[in-house]
């Protein structure tokens, strides 16, 4: 979690051969972040979830055309 420090987020996406990949990158001043990533589709269905990681990047693959939401805690 981001209990101290500041954080910013950038998201990039690529598509190759009709397979899309979205990647989130977090930049934080917190020296030991504990982050959870939850990706949902436009219907609210969770399509990927990673809990309690120290990784500052998270990706989801095999996305079909649509709108996706990323929640980070």
């Amino acid at each position: 979690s981001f209990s101290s420090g500041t954080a910013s987020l950038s998201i990039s996406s690529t598509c190759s051969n009709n397979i899309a990949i979205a990647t989130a990158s977090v930049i934080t001043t917190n020296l030991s972040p504990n982050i959870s990533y939850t990706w949902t589709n436009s219907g609210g269905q969770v399509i990927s979830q990673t809990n309690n990681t120290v990784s500052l990047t998270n990706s989801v693959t095999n996305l079909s055309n649509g709108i996706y939401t990323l929640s980070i805690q």
Side-chain angles (χ1 to χ4, degrees):
S1 67
F2 299 108
S3 58
S4 63
T6 60
S8 63
L9 171 68
S10 66
I11 297 177
S12 63
S13 62
T14 59
C15 185
S16 177
N17 297 323
N18 292 325
I19 297 174
I21 301 169
T23 301
S25 299
V26 175
I27 299 170
T28 180
T29 58
N30 188 329
L31 297 178
S32 56
N34 189 4
I35 304 171
S36 294
Y37 300 89
T38 304
W39 297 84
T40 56
N41 63 17
S42 60
Q45 179 182 12
V46 173
I47 58 167
S48 178
Q49 188 164 25
T50 305
N51 292 315
N52 302 318
T53 182
V54 296
S55 177
L56 297 178
T57 60
N58 187 262
S59 295
V60 62
T61 60
N62 296 323
L63 296 173
S64 58
N65 189 22
I67 297 172
Y68 297 89
T69 303
L70 171 62
S71 299
I72 299 177
Q73 293 183 307

